[in-house]
Each structure stands twice: as C-alpha cells, then as structure tokens.
Amino acid sequence: MTLLFEGKRAHDGDDHTVLGRPDRRRNLTLALYVMSLVPAILLQDVGSILAVTGSLSGSSVAYFLPGILHLAVYGEDFCSKIDSAIGNNNRTEGGPKPLWYYLFGFPLWCRIAATGAANVASYRRKNATAAKTPAATPLINNSRLLSPKERLVIQKAARLHHLRDE
C-alpha cells in the first residue's frame, strides 16, 4: 500500500507511519469504496464480466506460468545466454544494453531467472546436507526400517522359535 503514496521512504517498512495518518486512511478507504460502488450501480449483471475476467486470467496463467516456472528452474542457463548475447557481461555490470533488451522485457525475465537460480541453489544446498542416510534404510523414530530380506529372516526365526516352544 505504501507504493500508492509518494514521498520520502523514511518509514523503512513501517507502514503505519504512512497509512496511520487519518487523511491518507480516509482517502484510501473512500477510493476503494467508490471503485467497488460504481460498477455495482452501473451494471445489472456482473456474471458476464466475471466470466470474461476468469477466462482471460485462467488462460494467461495456463499460458505464462509453465514458461515462468521453467525460466525460474533453469534460470542460470538463461542468464548465461543473455550475458553472451549482450556481450561483456553488461547485464550484471550495469553497462549499456541494446534496445531489444528493454523492448522484449528482459529486465523482468532476467530478474525471474536470477531469483529462480538463487532459490534452486539454496534448495540444493539445504537438501545436500539433509541426505545423510541412504534411501534404502530410512529412519523412523530413530529406528531403521528392515529390508524385505531382513524381514523374511526374522519371520523364519520367529516361526522356528514358535515351533521349538511347542
């Protein structure tokens, strides 16, 4: 909400200093109220608008989300290809970039790719230290599960023990 208001960013994330002022809170409340009231008064049936909105947002999510997820997972490759296309590693050094870089939205795509690459690296680091025991012998309550072979040996020993007791 603080992005709606211009001014010094002296609050350092403390939204109350920006939104706590009565005039801003009143203006924001009034604007939100009017933005919801006007369509309610003017439109008889909101169903068609909701249908169009839902179809557009659903199709855009279905179209863009897989690409964005792929970009986030393989972001390091994307960033290296962009760096080689720009030349001299200008993307990270902040040098001049060609016009196509901005026209096709590459600052946004590179930001998504860099964030995804950092998250994938963090996930790999976290899970590399967590996998101390092999998958064949998982631990449950600090007790090792038996393999099928070990289970058969114990069952045979239990049968033999049961037969000896009789």
Side-chain angles (χ1 to χ4, degrees), residues 123-134:
Y123 177 80
R124 285 183 180 157
R125 274 193 310 272
K126 185 176 84 173
N127 286 338
T129 59
K132 293 180 182 175
T133 58

Side-chain angles (χ1 to χ4, degrees), residues 75-91:
E76 193 64 39
D77 297 337
F78 180 79
C79 290
S80 65
K81 287 179 184 177
I82 294 300
D83 288 341
S84 66
I86 292 175
N88 296 332
N89 204 13
N90 284 337
R91 185 184 58 82

Side-chain angles (χ1 to χ4, degrees), residues 108-127:
L108 172 68
W109 305 126
C110 290
R111 177 71 176 200
I112 292 171
T115 303
N119 288 340
V120 166
S122 171
Y123 177 80
R124 285 183 180 157
R125 274 193 310 272
K126 185 176 84 173
N127 286 338

